[in-house]
Amino acid sequence: MLLISQNIKNHYNLEFPDDVILRINLAWCNNLEELKEKLSNEKNGKFFLDLPQGRIKPPNNKYSLEEMIPILESNKQIRYFAISNVENKNDLQPFLDKLPGYVNIVPKIESTKAVINIKEICNSLKTEKKIVMLDHDDLFSSIIRNHEDKNNFQKYIKKLIDFCRENDISLLRTVGVMFSDDESRTTQYEK
């Protein structure tokens, strides 16, 4: 899966393969009208929405599951829905109960507890092809917050990689980042 920020496509005249999936991080959407506009601009694309939960760093725009359901139901091009800070199957249950069946729920692994509970988390997913997303920075921060040896970071990463490989689960990881000197937005850091 090749997942790219939807912002790259909007701001730069770049060509992408047809199978690219556009990611929208809802933390960066100032309101749901902005999200609807982004979705309407790409009716033939596939989208990956990223819903921040428990996020404390900016940007910190927040939306409820109830606000998101009508948008998901009216935009079938949304195929993936990532949920931040999943640490166990209970964190996923409201989404499993309420999201349309064609939406692939993607738990974001951001803590040591999530890595320890990865089997439980993945077993709760209903889709045939299971996907999890790793946030390396937040996992490392979790290790520091828990006063663990920072050298355990590689052990947690390896445990997650091995589990996903052994169970045919796609593990989405960051591969590079794009920087630009023409970014001028400041308002999206705080609603």
Side-chain angles (χ1 to χ4, degrees):
M1 174 185 291
L2 181 58
L3 183 64
I4 65 164
S5 170
Q6 175 269 336
N7 291 320
I8 292 173
K9 192 162 188 172
N10 283 353
H11 295 294
Y12 302 98
N13 190 20
L14 302 174
E15 293 293 322
F16 297 103
D18 292 336
D19 61 345
V20 160
I21 298 167
L22 301 174
R23 176 180 181 241
I24 298 176
N25 186 339
L26 293 170
W28 287 90
C29 282
N30 286 325
N31 56 60
L32 293 178
E33 292 307 313
E34 181 181 316
L35 171 62
K36 291 175 188 175
E37 182 179 331
K38 288 178 182 187
L39 293 168
S40 70
N41 290 340
E42 293 282 343
K43 283 291 185 190
N44 295 324
K46 290 182 184 173
F47 281 92
F48 182 108
L49 292 189
D50 195 333
L51 179 68
Q53 289 192 130
R55 184 181 173 107
I56 55 174
K57 63 186 176 187
N60 199 9
N61 296 316
K62 296 177 181 169
Y63 304 101
S64 71
L65 176 58
E66 287 69 30
E67 289 175 297
M68 296 310 304
I69 288 173
I71 294 170
L72 291 166
E73 289 174 344
S74 63
N75 290 279
K76 301 240 189 282
Q77 72 268 42
I78 301 171
R79 304 285 175 83
Y80 306 91
F81 196 81
I83 303 156
S84 296
N85 294 305
V86 172
E87 292 190 328
N88 58 54
K89 67 179 180 180
N90 295 332
D91 293 335
L92 289 175
Q93 200 58 54
F95 301 93
L96 293 166
D97 291 343
K98 296 180 180 178
L99 290 183
Y102 62 86
V103 175
N104 195 325
I105 296 172
V106 180
K108 285 184 70 179
I109 307 305
E110 303 180 68
S111 71
T112 57
K113 188 174 180 181
V115 175
I116 291 166
N117 293 331
I118 192 63
K119 183 176 182 178
E120 169 190 309
I121 291 167
C122 289
N123 285 344
S124 70
L125 297 172
K126 296 177 182 178
T127 52
E128 185 177 325
K129 182 61 183 158
K130 297 177 182 186
I131 303 168
V132 296
M133 182 179 227
L134 172 61
D135 186 318
H136 295 84
D137 294 343
D138 287 347
L139 176 59
F140 188 79
S141 295
S142 167
I143 290 168
I144 299 302
R145 267 193 318 278
N146 292 336
H147 306 288
E148 287 188 50
D149 181 347
K150 65 182 177 182
N151 294 318
N152 287 344
F153 178 68
Q154 294 299 328
K155 292 175 188 172
Y156 283 111
I157 298 286
K158 182 171 178 0
K159 178 180 173 136
L160 188 60
I161 290 169
D162 290 346
F163 176 83
C164 290
R165 186 177 300 126
E166 291 164 8
N167 293 280
D168 194 30
I169 295 168
S170 291
L171 176 61
L172 299 177
R173 300 174 64 183
T174 306
V175 180
V177 177
M178 183 170 173
F179 292 87
S180 171
D181 66 352
D182 66 354
E183 176 60 60
S184 60
R185 296 174 296 176
T186 58
T187 58
Q188 288 183 316
Y189 283 98
E190 191 170 314
K191 195 172 187 180

